[in-house]
Amino acid sequence: MMYSAIATAIGGGISAYNSFQSAATQKNIANYNYAMQQRNAKMQLMSNTVQVKQIEQQARFQKAEAEINARLAENEAQARNNNAQNERNVALAQASVDRENIRRGNMDADQKRAVIRASQGKSGGQLDAGSLMETDVKAAQDAEIAAEEQHRMSDIGYRQSFAKAALEDFGAEMARAGASMDLATGLAEARLTRSSAALQEATGKSQYLMDQKRAEIARVSGYADAKGSQLSGWGSLFQTAGSVGSSWANWQHVGPSSSWGGKANSTSQRPPGFA
């Protein structure tokens, strides 16, 4: 019986030790897993933060690009407006020059006719009849035709210049319209990209909190398993202590077993003379 109690105590101690070791291992594993999950969660958050910054940088680039393109288009539009104004100024200046040339041409023609008349008058010719009259009429007609041709060419040049100016103004308006559309599109894309960055940032933070929660739950579960192993160890100790105590009490009551020198003698089997 004593051997049995000793074996029970040893077995119970080993079982309790194993339970306590298992509890310590489970707790260490829970702490390690918690630390690793926390580390992974932080690394994932840092990676997400980098991606968010990249997306925000892209949004700033889109906005800056849209604004630069808009300024370039405005510069182009202004240049075309300037070209149009230059065309109009040149046309007006040329028209003024043409009028002056026509006026001088008419004066020259009149002077030439006057010289011819004066010469014919000195020679005794009559201007109202014959070849002298035809010569004067022809000179007047030539002067009028030349003046009309000059006026016509001047008008054509004037109209062409103003047509070019109108085309330049139209090009400027189209450039501004395109710039406005491109700017609106670029800013809309930048806002959409910023919204995407904000969404990813919120998603990353939410995922980080969820990962932390999972890590905490896993650690608590590991601690619970470790606590269960500890309780199992203490239960084994208490059970072993109860078994050993019971065996010890029986041994004290019955006496040494046969393994200690044979079966114990009761008081009725003791020799006479023994109390």
Side-chain angles (χ1 to χ4, degrees):
M1 184 177 296
M2 189 61 183
Y3 284 149
S4 177
I6 292 173
T8 300
I10 293 173
I14 292 174
S15 177
Y17 175 79
N18 289 336
S19 295
F20 289 141
Q21 284 295 104
S22 177
T25 300
Q26 289 170 331
K27 189 173 182 179
N28 290 335
I29 290 174
N31 287 332
Y32 175 78
N33 289 337
Y34 176 77
M36 291 301 296
Q37 288 175 340
Q38 287 280 43
R39 174 179 173 273
N40 292 337
K42 290 178 180 179
M43 290 182 64
Q44 182 63 33
L45 181 62
M46 290 174 61
S47 176
N48 187 77
T49 301
V50 171
Q51 293 178 5
V52 169
K53 290 186 179 299
Q54 290 175 345
I55 295 174
E56 290 176 343
Q57 181 64 30
Q58 181 184 358
R60 287 192 290 270
F61 176 78
Q62 288 173 331
K63 182 176 181 293
E65 184 180 25
E67 292 174 345
I68 290 172
N69 290 337
R71 284 196 294 271
L72 291 175
E74 175 59 30
N75 292 339
E76 179 187 356
Q78 188 60 49
R80 300 196 72 167
N81 284 142
N82 292 339
N83 291 339
Q85 188 60 43
N86 289 336
E87 286 288 344
R88 285 189 288 268
N89 292 338
V90 170
L92 292 172
Q94 186 61 46
S96 178
V97 171
D98 291 341
R99 286 193 299 270
E100 180 63 19
N101 289 336
I102 292 171
R103 186 185 68 80
R104 288 183 178 181
N106 290 334
M107 288 179 63
D108 290 343
D110 290 342
Q111 287 177 357
K112 288 178 180 179
R113 290 176 63 195
V115 170
I116 292 173
R117 287 180 179 181
S119 298
Q120 293 297 330
K122 288 180 180 180
S123 62
Q126 298 294 321
L127 296 178
D128 55 351
S131 60
L132 293 180
M133 180 178 180
E134 291 176 357
T135 301
D136 185 64
V137 170
K138 182 67 169 58
Q141 289 177 344
D142 290 342
E144 184 177 357
I145 291 173
E148 289 179 354
E149 181 64 18
Q150 245 185 327
H151 182 76
R152 186 179 69 84
M153 294 302 296
S154 176
D155 186 64
I156 290 174
Y158 182 82
R159 292 178 184 275
Q160 287 179 342
S161 294
F162 268 79
K164 290 179 181 178
L167 286 175
E168 289 295 321
D169 284 334
F170 178 75
E173 291 178 3
M174 293 299 295
R176 286 194 177 94
S180 179
M181 182 178 295
D182 290 342
L183 179 61
T185 301
L187 293 179
E189 290 178 351
R191 285 193 294 269
L192 183 61
T193 303
R194 282 197 298 270
S195 298
S196 176
L199 178 60
Q200 181 156 346
E201 183 179 16
T203 302
K205 289 181 179 179
S206 176
Q207 184 65 41
Y208 175 70
L209 294 176
M210 290 177 62
D211 290 341
Q212 282 190 319
K213 191 65 175 179
R214 291 194 188 99
E216 186 63 31
I217 291 173
R219 184 172 69 166
V220 170
S221 177
Y223 277 19
D225 292 340
K227 190 66 175 179
S229 297
Q230 285 180 337
L231 293 176
S232 177
W234 285 112
S236 295
L237 285 179
F238 289 145
Q239 184 178 3
T240 299
S243 297
V244 171
S246 176
S247 297
W248 176 261
N250 289 334
W251 183 77
Q252 287 291 331
H253 178 72
V254 175
S257 63
S258 58
S259 61
W260 291 82
K263 186 177 181 181
N265 295 322
S266 65
T267 54
S268 60
Q269 293 175 329
R270 293 176 181 175
F274 287 86

